Amino acid sequence: MLRNALDGLTVIDFTQIGAGPTCTMLLADMGARVIKVEPPGGELGRGLGPGWIGDDAALFHGFNRNKLGVALDLKSDAGRAVARRLVAGADVVVESMRPGVMARLGLGAEQLLQAHPALIYCSISAYGQSGPCAEHAGVDGIIQADSGLMGLIGLEGSEPCKVQAPVVDVMTGYVAAMAVLAKLAQRTRDGQGGHLDVNLLNCALALQQSSLTSWLADGALPERVGSAAPYSAPNQAFQTRDGWVMVAAYMPERWQRLCELLGLPHLATDARFATSPLRVAHRQALVPLLTDAFRTRGTDEWLTLLGAADILCARVASYEDVARHPQVAANGMLAEVRHARHGGIRQPGFPVNSAQANAQAHRAAPALGQDTRQVLKDCGFSDADIEALHCAQVVHCAEPAGTALKQPGTAPAATA
């Protein structure tokens, strides 16, 4: 069961917004004890609405389930000392500061690895830890633009478009989690930790594996063709009488069956459309002919007819459609995280063995400083020490607003 695969592993999370929190959330989903360290005012992701769940952005809840929350002022000497004490008991550190910031705080990879050679230290940045752009800041949209990804999206002559979901952030989080798991496996053999450099630019390029490889091979710049695939046709969305349907019928047999189904058998023998590469080359002539036929029926009718003919198809779904999709329900991918104050919070859950994994309870994202007192007590701080740090505003201790569910591998969050 992957939900307890990482029981006994402790991760200190110095990340915010999307990429880093995705990585640490995945580790927490698999049972790691993840201690999320935020500044006393909270991380930036708490304010990035709409939508909102209470005073925090839904985005924050979506990226921070199953974690313990500690609020700590890393700008103070005492706060940095607390952080080093947390790290001393950890297996993994994940940080998403701009390169050089953690080193200036005395919490950089070289400094901590010298003290703790078995530590796995994962740095997540926009451009990487070295090179001419290493110190440049960047977020998902900036990297979508700078990596060429934005140049693929939309239609020729229209404004550049981005994927509205932060796909580069999420992809980077998954890559970082993969890298941490690989390094953990290596550490079981040699006992050594190390520094992992994961960055948004590399992950955005990896998302473009097919299109970049094609350009590197022939130098032909990709066209912006909306929903169409640049490498095959027909493989795009077509307007129906009442919506849109995505159709992939570029394989020879399916292309012939599509022509028959649309009442256009002559297209199957048209020399312009004889192969998928030819159909790509003559897409501007082909698409209007197919669209006219698709507009004669509604989406539901087309889905039935296309499915019966074994032609790959799908509704271009709204989120309302996704929420009632029977396979999404069967997969159990939309998890409900129970929150003591806000009730059930629905969100995409853990994606592997999802029905089984998400049937187990998830711990809600922590309120700011929710677990500060208990985490510090677990590190050996006395009540008096914690109270002194709280009074000096080095740490922030708050009443827990999340669930009291036990996180895998951890004690239940204590009331501060």
Side-chain angles (χ1 to χ4, degrees), residues 233-234 249-260 268 273-277 279:
Y250 50 88
M251 299 74 96
E253 297 83 1
R254 287 190 171 118
W255 166 239
Q256 291 179 7
R257 289 200 296 273
L258 178 66
C259 292
E260 293 168 4
F273 311 136
T275 67
S276 180
R279 292 192 290 274

Coordinates of all heavy atoms in Angstrom, one line a residue, residues 233-234 249-260 268 273-277 279:
A233 N -3.3 13.6 -38.1 CA -4.6 14.2 -38.4 C -5.5 13.1 -39.0 O -5.0 12.2 -39.7 CB -4.5 15.3 -39.4
P234 N -6.8 13.1 -38.7 CA -7.5 14.1 -37.8 C -7.2 13.7 -36.3 O -7.5 12.5 -36.0 CB -9.0 14.0 -38.1 CG -9.1 12.6 -38.7 CD -7.8 12.3 -39.4
A249 N -8.6 9.9 -35.2 CA -8.9 8.9 -36.2 C -7.8 9.0 -37.3 O -8.1 8.9 -38.5 CB -10.2 9.2 -36.8
Y250 N -6.6 9.1 -36.9 CA -5.5 9.2 -37.8 C -4.9 7.9 -38.3 O -4.2 7.8 -39.3 CB -4.3 10.1 -37.3 CG -3.9 9.7 -35.9 CD1 -2.9 8.7 -35.7 CD2 -4.4 10.2 -34.8 CE1 -2.4 8.4 -34.5 CE2 -4.0 9.9 -33.5 CZ -3.0 8.9 -33.4 OH -2.5 8.6 -32.1
M251 N -5.2 6.8 -37.6 CA -4.8 5.4 -38.0 C -5.6 5.1 -39.3 O -6.8 5.4 -39.4 CB -5.0 4.4 -36.9 CG -4.2 4.7 -35.6 SD -4.9 6.1 -34.7 CE -5.9 5.2 -33.5
P252 N -5.0 4.3 -40.2 CA -5.7 4.1 -41.5 C -7.1 3.5 -41.4 O -8.0 4.0 -42.0 CB -4.7 3.1 -42.2 CG -3.4 3.4 -41.6 CD -3.6 3.8 -40.2
E253 N -7.2 2.5 -40.6 CA -8.6 1.9 -40.5 C -9.6 2.8 -39.9 O -10.7 2.9 -40.3 CB -8.5 0.6 -39.7 CG -7.6 -0.5 -40.3 CD -6.2 -0.3 -40.0 OE1 -5.8 0.7 -39.2 OE2 -5.3 -1.1 -40.4
R254 N -9.2 3.5 -38.9 CA -10.1 4.4 -38.2 C -10.4 5.6 -39.1 O -11.5 6.2 -39.1 CB -9.5 4.9 -36.9 CG -9.6 3.8 -35.8 CD -9.2 4.3 -34.4 NE -9.5 3.3 -33.4 CZ -8.6 2.8 -32.6 NH1 -7.3 3.2 -32.7 NH2 -8.9 1.9 -31.7
W255 N -9.5 6.1 -39.9 CA -9.7 7.2 -40.8 C -10.8 6.8 -41.8 O -11.7 7.5 -42.1 CB -8.4 7.6 -41.5 CG -8.6 8.4 -42.7 CD1 -8.2 8.2 -44.0 CD2 -9.2 9.7 -42.8 NE1 -8.5 9.2 -44.9 CE2 -9.1 10.2 -44.2 CE3 -9.8 10.6 -41.9 CZ2 -9.7 11.4 -44.6 CZ3 -10.3 11.8 -42.3 CH2 -10.3 12.2 -43.6
Q256 N -10.7 5.6 -42.4 CA -11.7 5.1 -43.3 C -13.1 5.0 -42.7 O -14.1 5.4 -43.3 CB -11.2 3.7 -43.9 CG -10.0 3.8 -44.8 CD -9.6 2.4 -45.3 OE1 -10.3 1.5 -45.1 NE2 -8.4 2.4 -45.9
R257 N -13.1 4.4 -41.4 CA -14.4 4.3 -40.8 C -15.0 5.7 -40.5 O -16.2 5.8 -40.5 CB -14.2 3.5 -39.5 CG -14.0 2.0 -39.7 CD -14.3 1.2 -38.5 NE -13.4 1.5 -37.4 CZ -12.3 0.9 -37.2 NH1 -11.8 0.0 -38.0 NH2 -11.6 1.2 -36.1
L258 N -14.2 6.6 -40.1 CA -14.7 8.0 -39.8 C -15.3 8.6 -41.1 O -16.4 9.2 -41.0 CB -13.6 8.9 -39.3 CG -14.0 10.3 -39.0 CD1 -15.0 10.4 -37.9 CD2 -12.7 11.2 -38.7
C259 N -14.6 8.4 -42.2 CA -15.2 9.0 -43.5 C -16.5 8.4 -43.8 O -17.5 9.1 -44.2 CB -14.2 8.7 -44.6 SG -12.7 9.6 -44.5
E260 N -16.7 7.1 -43.6 CA -17.9 6.4 -43.8 C -19.0 6.9 -42.8 O -20.1 7.2 -43.2 CB -17.8 4.9 -43.7 CG -16.9 4.3 -44.8 CD -16.5 2.9 -44.5 OE1 -17.0 2.3 -43.5 OE2 -15.7 2.3 -45.2
A268 N -11.7 9.3 -48.1 CA -10.8 8.2 -47.8 C -9.9 7.9 -49.0 O -8.8 7.4 -48.9 CB -11.6 7.0 -47.4
F273 N -5.5 13.3 -48.7 CA -5.7 12.8 -47.4 C -5.4 11.3 -47.2 O -5.9 10.7 -46.3 CB -7.2 13.0 -47.0 CG -7.7 14.4 -47.3 CD1 -8.9 14.6 -47.9 CD2 -6.9 15.5 -47.0 CE1 -9.4 15.9 -48.1 CE2 -7.4 16.8 -47.2 CZ -8.6 17.0 -47.8
A274 N -4.5 10.8 -48.1 CA -4.3 9.4 -48.1 C -3.5 8.9 -46.9 O -3.7 7.7 -46.5 CB -3.5 9.0 -49.4
T275 N -2.7 9.7 -46.3 CA -1.9 9.3 -45.1 C -2.0 10.4 -44.0 O -2.4 11.5 -44.3 CB -0.4 9.1 -45.4 OG1 0.2 10.3 -45.8 CG2 -0.3 8.0 -46.5
S276 N -1.7 10.0 -42.8 CA -1.7 11.0 -41.8 C -0.8 12.2 -42.0 O -1.2 13.4 -41.9 CB -1.4 10.4 -40.4 OG -1.4 11.3 -39.4
P277 N 0.5 12.0 -42.5 CA 1.3 13.1 -42.8 C 0.7 14.0 -43.9 O 0.8 15.3 -43.8 CB 2.6 12.5 -43.3 CG 2.7 11.2 -42.6 CD 1.3 10.7 -42.5
R279 N -2.5 14.4 -44.4 CA -3.7 15.1 -43.8 C -3.2 16.2 -42.9 O -3.8 17.2 -42.8 CB -4.5 14.1 -43.0 CG -5.2 13.1 -43.9 CD -6.3 12.3 -43.1 NE -5.7 11.3 -42.2 CZ -5.3 10.1 -42.5 NH1 -5.4 9.6 -43.7 NH2 -4.9 9.3 -41.5

